[in-house]
């Protein structure tokens, strides 16, 4: 089913694992709970870094682990987009556990809306499965967040903050992120919000895999 093309693992024509710098990125779902206006996918473009990331089908746990190969070969293995990895939360967590068992460091990039979607606090379930969490805060206030991320629930940004705060109890490294250069996004304010909960902050550049 899967085949190796250079160091990029493809599922038929779907890229599920690809190296970038010293990290390996995993692409495990097409689905999202946001429709971010800045996202290429929202405009119908599924390419990131020149790779087409629309999956033909969602990879199984076994396919994900096989696609990683030796996780120790990378600085970290990152569950990322273009979809939202926590749409497949328990497959991701099982894969994370196995990648860690094989000697890898695991990061999960997320919209931070898993608690809202599951209608319960899932942050304790992260413990022991991932090493680092990167949460897209994206904006310093609700109106800016809603303008860019277009969530289904108007109170989503509050849910993101609550998720990140609770996750600090179960994940060794929690980082909030926001994208530089979007009009109205106050990066300094976002960094200050991260500091109040004891999380790190990283500003991102649109279209750059980091
Ligand atoms: S959550 Fe990520 S993948 Fe989904 S629409 Fe927003 S930027 Fe795109």
């Amino acid at each position: 089913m899967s085949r190796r093309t250079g160091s990029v693992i493809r599922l038929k024509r779907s890229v599920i694992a690809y190296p970038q710098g010293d990290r390996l990125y995993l692409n495990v779902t097409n689905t999202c709970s946001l429709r971010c206006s800045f996202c290429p996918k929202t405009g119908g473009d599924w390419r990131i870094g020149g790779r087409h990331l629309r999956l033909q089908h969602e990879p199984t746990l076994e396919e994900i682990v096989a696609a990683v190969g030796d996780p120790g070969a990378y600085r970290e293995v990152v569950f990322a987009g273009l979809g939202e990895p926590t749409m497949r939360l328990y497959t991701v967590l099982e894969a994370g556990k196995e990648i860690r068992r094989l000697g890898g460091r695991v990061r999960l990039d997320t919209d931070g809306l898993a608690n809202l979607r599951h209608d319960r606090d899932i942050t304790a379930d992260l413990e022991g499965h991932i090493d680092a969490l990167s949460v897209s805060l994206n904006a310093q206030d609700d109106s800016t967040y809603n303008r860019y991320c277009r969530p289904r629930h108007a109170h989503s940004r509050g849910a993101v903050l609550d998720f990140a705060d609770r996750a600090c109890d179960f994940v060794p490294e929690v980082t909030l992120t926001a994208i530089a250069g979007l009009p109205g996004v106050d990066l300094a304010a976002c960094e200050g919000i991260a500091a109040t909960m004891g999380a790190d902050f990283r500003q991102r550049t649109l279209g750059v895999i980091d």
Side-chain angles (χ1 to χ4, degrees), residues 32-36 38-39 41-42 81-84 111:
C32 270
S33 52
L34 296 173
R35 297 173 299 117
C36 303
F38 52 77
C39 180
K41 189 175 85 172
T42 305
L82 273 175
E84 164 55 37
D111 60 12

Side-chain angles (χ1 to χ4, degrees), residues 22-98:
D22 52 7
R23 295 182 172 93
L24 184 73
Y25 289 82
L26 298 177
N27 175 39
V28 299
T29 183
N30 290 332
T31 58
C32 270
S33 52
L34 296 173
R35 297 173 299 117
C36 303
S37 60
F38 52 77
C39 180
K41 189 175 85 172
T42 305
D45 184 353
W46 290 75
R47 289 168 300 173
I48 289 284
R51 297 184 181 93
H52 187 81
L53 297 183
R54 185 163 197 167
L55 294 161
Q56 302 301 308
H57 74 268
E58 292 186 332
T60 64
L61 169 63
E62 292 74 22
E63 288 169 332
I64 294 168
V65 172
V68 171
D70 174 13
Y74 305 96
R75 176 176 167 190
E76 61 184 0
V77 177
V78 185
F79 289 92
L82 273 175
E84 164 55 37
T86 64
M87 298 296 276
R88 301 189 65 202
L89 180 63
Y90 291 98
T91 299
V92 164
L93 294 185
E94 284 308 305
K97 186 176 180 181
E98 179 63 8

Side-chain angles (χ1 to χ4, degrees), residues 60-196:
T60 64
L61 169 63
E62 292 74 22
E63 288 169 332
I64 294 168
V65 172
V68 171
D70 174 13
Y74 305 96
R75 176 176 167 190
E76 61 184 0
V77 177
V78 185
F79 289 92
L82 273 175
E84 164 55 37
T86 64
M87 298 296 276
R88 301 189 65 202
L89 180 63
Y90 291 98
T91 299
V92 164
L93 294 185
E94 284 308 305
K97 186 176 180 181
E98 179 63 8
I99 293 165
R100 294 186 79 224
R101 189 187 69 78
L102 293 170
R105 170 186 155 88
V106 177
R107 189 180 102 199
L108 171 61
D109 290 1
T110 179
D111 60 12
L113 293 170
N115 286 355
L116 193 61
R117 277 195 303 272
H118 287 258
D119 199 24
R120 70 180 183 85
D121 180 8
I122 63 87
T123 53
D125 297 354
L126 304 175
E127 189 166 29
H129 295 257
I130 60 172
D131 299 285
L133 191 64
S134 181
V135 182
S136 299
L137 173 60
N138 284 333
Q140 72 284 356
D141 56 54
D142 286 355
S143 64
T144 308
Y145 180 91
N146 290 346
R147 177 156 60 95
Y148 281 113
C149 299
R150 302 187 289 191
R152 290 187 178 87
H153 304 284
H155 57 291
S156 289
R157 181 178 160 279
V160 172
L161 288 172
D162 184 65
F163 173 85
D165 192 31
R166 291 171 185 267
C168 287
D169 290 337
F170 302 106
V171 180
E173 292 178 28
V174 176
T175 302
L176 301 188
T177 69
I179 297 170
L182 295 181
V185 172
D186 184 337
L187 294 174
C190 292
E191 185 168 8
I193 290 167
T196 61

